[in-house]
Amino acid sequence: QVRLVESGGGSAEAGGSLRLSCSISGTTYQSDCMAWFRQIPGKEREGVASFDNASYDYIGNKRYSDSVKGRFTISRDNGDNILYLQMNSLEPEDTGTYYCARSSFRCGVAGFSTSQFKTWGQGTQVTVSS
């Protein structure tokens, strides 16, 4: 059974950076899609970044929401089995709870649909002040 545990959240000023980590335990598969989502108070959970396990180190495989494209980078350290989200040029609108998630479908099928992701971490809070 796959377990995901996020860390690295905290507070930052606008324009600053944070790096989130997601420790992955259990067996994931090449066909899995790994993703980061966030939930801003009063809004639905939204996907921000994802990649297919089969080609996690291929830049062209990475998908980003329009709101974070060019500022956030998703990556994976396969040796340590950790998923990262590097967040630069933070904005107050990035404030929310961030979750890592796993889908047994490829990202091209799962998209950023929360119903396609069956494994979730507990979330880590990010607060960006202006």
Side-chain angles (χ1 to χ4, degrees):
Q1 184 174 349
V2 175
R3 183 167 178 250
L4 307 174
V5 179
E6 301 96 338
S7 61
S11 299
E13 293 186 352
S17 299
L18 286 172
R19 187 176 79 160
L20 306 183
S21 301
C22 174
S23 178
I24 305 168
S25 60
T27 301
T28 60
Y29 300 94
Q30 293 293 297
S31 56
D32 288 349
C33 175
M34 303 300 297
W36 285 96
F37 286 75
R38 68 184 180 189
Q39 189 152 21
I40 297 168
K43 295 188 176 181
E44 293 186 354
R45 194 170 296 189
E46 62 172 351
V48 297
S50 69
F51 62 60
D52 288 310
N53 260 353
S55 52
Y56 67 92
D57 57 349
Y58 175 49
I59 293 177
N61 171 43
K62 299 181 180 180
R63 299 164 182 249
Y64 299 93
S65 66
D66 289 342
S67 60
V68 307
K69 198 174 296 182
R71 300 188 297 120
F72 290 11
T73 302
I74 186 172
S75 63
R76 177 168 180 162
D77 182 332
N78 238 24
D80 290 334
N81 230 15
I82 300 175
L83 185 70
Y84 295 105
L85 184 68
Q86 178 67 43
M87 306 186 295
N88 298 329
S89 301
L90 284 164
E91 302 169 352
E93 293 75 21
D94 295 319
T95 294
T97 303
Y98 284 71
Y99 300 87
C100 60
R102 166 189 171 251
S103 172
S104 58
F105 298 102
R106 292 192 182 276
C107 295
V109 174
F112 284 136
S113 173
T114 55
S115 63
Q116 300 297 324
F117 289 81
K118 302 303 184 185
T119 307
W120 294 85
Q122 82 288 353
T124 186
Q125 178 67 34
V126 170
T127 303
V128 183
S129 59
S130 57

